Amino acid sequence: MSSNPEQDFVLKTIKGRDVHFVRFWFTDVLGNMKSFAVIPSELENAFEDGMGFDGSCVEGFCRTRESDMLAFPDASTFQVLPWRPESNAVGRMFCDIRTPDGKPFEGDPRQVLAREVQRALDMGYVLNVGPELEFFYFKDQHSTEVLDHGGYFDLTSLDYASDLRRDTVLTLEKMGIPVEYSHHENGPSQHEIDLRFTDALSMADAVMTYKLVVKEIAMKHGVYASFMPKPLPGKSGSGLHVHMAPSLLSGDALLEQTLHAFLAGILRRVGDMTLFLNTATNSYQRFGSFEAPRYVTWSSGNRAQLIRVPETGAPRLELRSPDPLCNPYLAFTLLLQAGLEGLRNGSVPPVPTDIDLQSAPAGTLAGLERLPDSLGAAIEKAQDSIFVRQSLPAPVIGKILEVKRNEWERYNRAEDKNEFEHACYFERV
C-alpha cells in the first residue's frame, strides 16, 4: 500500500467492488474526452511513475518525434462507472499529463486550470462554479427528429423524456456529482440539468463527466443526446450558463464591490476569450435570440444580458454566453484570470443595462460593445489579444487557432452550411 490515503482508498475499493479496469480520463485542447484503460495491478506504479502513452495521437499535445507522455491519475477523482456492469466493474480517474522527465505538460488543459486556481488561492480567493448545461434529445444520431414539443418547466405527457433526466441525475449523483435541479427547457426536446456549486477544477471535471453521462443514459434508452449549440434553426439554442461566486478564503463576507470588480474584469476581457467560450461556427447562431446575449452588458435581473447578477440567493454572477462545446478547463481559466485582473485593479463595471436588447430600437443600442458575431471574428480577436497570450500556454493557443482557422475556412467553402455544421458538431460530446 502507498502512504497516500486517497490512493489506498482507490486500491481497496477496486478489490471490494470487483473492478477489473480503470479508465484514465483526460482532454485534448479542444475539450474532447480521451481515455485508455489500465488493469488494477498497474495502478500502484501509475500513481508513482505515471502510465506512458502516445501523445502524438492527441489533438494539441505533441509532435510525433516528441510523442511520449505520462498520465498520472488523480486518486481524488476515482469513481466506479454506474452504467457498466457491477461484475467486472469499470472505474475512472482524471489524469494530469506530464512529460517523460516528470514535468507538468503545458498543453494539458486540466493543469492549466489547476495552476490558475492555485494563483487565486495565493491571492486569497477561491472560485466556486455552478453551471447550467442545456442539451437536446433526438430519436437518433442521424436526424433532428425530436422526442417532444414541450416548453419551459412542462410537466405533461409532452415531457416523456423526464425518465431520461431522472436516470441521468441519479447516475451523476452515484458518481459524486450533486445536482441542484433539472427541467424541460424552452426548445422542443430540450433539457437542462444544473450542477451544485463547487470549486472550479472539480467542476470542470464534473462538466466533462456530465456530458458523457447524458449521452450514455440517452443511448441506454435508445435515443440520442446532442450538445450542439443550435441544432434546430429558429428554436432555442443550448448554452452553458456559468454561475460564479468568487469567495474569500478568510471566510469574511463577500462585499458587493468585490463581486462587481470580478464582474468588471470579465466584461473587459470577454470579447478576447469568446473563441474559447464559443468554439464552433454554430455557436454564433445562438447570439441575439432566445435570451442568448449579443452585447457586452450586465444587469441585476435581465436574462437577455451577457452577465446577470441574481437578486436572490448568495452573491454570484451568471455569464450567459458560453455553450457546451467549450473546453471547461480553458473556459474557467480565462474567466478566473479576467476576474482576478478586475480584483487586482479594483475595476468598476459600467452602468447596468436593463432594457430588452432583443427588441430595443437600433438607436438605443448605439455604442454598446458587441461580442464577436462569428467564429472568424472570434479568431481575430483572440489572436490579437495580449490577455489571451498571458493567460494560456503558447502551444494551447497555437493549436486552437490552427484548428479553428481551418474549421472557419471549411465552413466558408461549404455549399450547404447547415449540412457542414451538422456533420461537425451534432455528434460531438
Side-chain angles (χ1 to χ4, degrees):
M1 287 290 182
S2 73
S3 59
N4 184 308
E6 289 181 330
Q7 293 175 7
D8 290 344
F9 172 79
V10 170
L11 297 172
K12 289 177 182 176
T13 303
I14 284 172
K15 290 181 179 178
R17 296 281 298 273
D18 193 33
V19 174
H20 281 235
F21 297 95
V22 178
R23 290 205 160 270
F24 283 16
W25 287 3
F26 55 99
T27 74
D28 64 15
V29 296
L30 302 177
N32 299 312
M33 186 82 88
K34 302 295 178 181
S35 173
F36 61 88
V38 174
I39 59 175
S41 61
E42 294 294 327
L43 278 185
E44 286 196 66
N45 288 335
F47 285 134
E48 186 69 25
D49 301 318
M51 288 294 293
F53 69 98
D54 182 2
S56 66
C57 301
V58 180
E59 192 75 74
F61 268 34
C62 48
R63 297 180 293 274
T64 302
R65 66 177 183 272
E66 302 167 345
S67 61
D68 292 335
M69 289 280 118
L70 293 170
F72 282 79
D74 181 346
S76 70
T77 67
F78 177 80
Q79 292 288 342
V80 177
L81 301 182
W83 59 87
R84 299 302 297 269
E86 292 185 12
S87 171
N88 297 324
V90 179
R92 75 93 157 101
M93 283 183 280
F94 281 95
C95 293
D96 294 322
I97 308 303
R98 300 183 193 174
T99 57
D101 59 5
K103 294 179 180 177
F105 174 54
E106 63 178 351
D108 175 15
R110 191 171 190 267
Q111 289 186 95
V112 170
L113 176 57
R115 288 192 292 271
E116 188 58 27
V117 166
Q118 184 58 53
R119 201 163 73 92
L121 290 172
D122 293 342
M123 289 179 62
Y125 292 95
V126 60
L127 179 65
N128 289 309
V129 181
E132 301 174 1
L133 286 112
E134 299 167 341
F135 58 92
F136 283 83
Y137 287 127
F138 297 101
K139 292 197 172 178
D140 58 51
Q141 69 266 42
H142 305 298
S143 71
T144 53
E145 185 179 357
V146 297
L147 303 187
D148 65 66
H149 293 276
Y152 273 128
F153 302 112
D154 274 350
L155 182 60
T156 68
S157 59
L158 295 173
D159 185 16
Y160 65 84
S162 59
D163 284 352
L164 280 81
R165 286 205 315 269
R166 180 200 63 202
D167 285 0
T168 301
V169 169
L170 292 174
T171 301
L172 288 168
E173 292 187 336
K174 285 178 183 176
M175 295 193 71
I177 300 174
V179 171
E180 194 161 80
Y181 60 86
S182 65
H183 61 86
H184 197 292
E185 254 294 333
N186 186 35
S189 206
Q190 187 184 28
H191 301 267
E192 175 179 307
I193 298 174
D194 301 345
L195 305 183
R196 193 176 298 280
F197 271 90
T198 191
D199 66 277
L201 183 60
S202 297
M203 185 54 74
D205 290 344
V207 168
M208 295 305 303
T209 304
Y210 171 109
K211 291 194 285 186
L212 184 61
V213 166
V214 166
K215 295 180 84 72
E216 288 283 350
I217 299 304
M219 191 184 306
K220 179 181 173 183
H221 282 257
V223 300
Y224 184 74
S226 177
F227 289 96
M228 184 175 177
K230 190 81 166 180
L232 300 174
K235 303 296 183 182
S236 177
S238 290
L240 191 165
H241 303 158
V242 184
H243 290 255
M244 291 170 277
S247 303
L248 294 165
L249 285 177
S250 64
D252 296 338
L254 185 67
L255 299 175
E256 183 177 289
Q257 66 190 46
T258 303
L259 186 67
H260 282 182
F262 196 90
L263 182 158
I266 292 175
L267 285 177
R268 183 184 179 200
R269 300 301 191 183
V270 69
D272 293 20
M273 69 174 85
T274 294
L275 174 64
F276 302 88
L277 306 180
N278 306 97
T279 62
T281 61
N282 183 253
S283 299
Y284 298 85
Q285 295 186 30
R286 283 180 59 236
F287 290 177
S289 63
F290 296 97
E291 297 182 343
R294 173 178 286 163
Y295 295 94
V296 181
T297 58
W298 75 281
S299 169
S300 294
N302 190 327
R303 292 177 182 271
Q305 312 297 331
L306 175 67
I307 294 179
R308 182 175 73 99
V309 179
E311 297 172 329
T312 59
R316 68 192 191 281
L317 57 91
E318 176 193 5
L319 179 69
R320 296 179 60 81
S321 62
D323 66 60
L325 292 192
C326 74
N327 183 331
Y329 300 103
L330 300 183
F332 295 170
T333 294
L334 290 165
L335 291 170
L336 185 50
Q337 281 268 22
L340 292 178
E341 183 182 74
L343 288 171
R344 286 195 305 272
N345 297 336
S347 301
V348 178
V351 174
T353 304
D354 291 319
I355 61 173
D356 184 348
L357 297 173
Q358 295 179 15
S359 61
T364 309
L365 306 176
L368 292 180
E369 181 186 352
R370 290 175 61 137
L371 292 170
D373 60 3
S374 69
L375 183 64
I379 290 169
E380 290 182 12
K381 192 84 172 171
Q383 69 188 7
D384 295 335
S385 171
I386 295 173
F387 167 75
V388 169
R389 289 200 299 273
Q390 292 176 339
S391 301
L392 297 177
V396 170
I397 300 169
K399 175 51 68 172
I400 289 177
L401 288 174
E402 174 191 334
V403 171
K404 293 303 166 181
R405 285 193 196 104
N406 178 270
E407 199 170 298
W408 179 238
E409 290 169 3
R410 289 187 292 119
Y411 173 79
N412 286 317
R413 290 196 304 267
E415 292 185 10
D416 188 330
K417 290 180 168 44
N418 288 334
E419 184 179 308
F420 171 87
E421 292 189 331
H422 186 90
C424 273
Y425 311 122
F426 189 65
E427 296 188 33
R428 180 174 162 192
V429 175

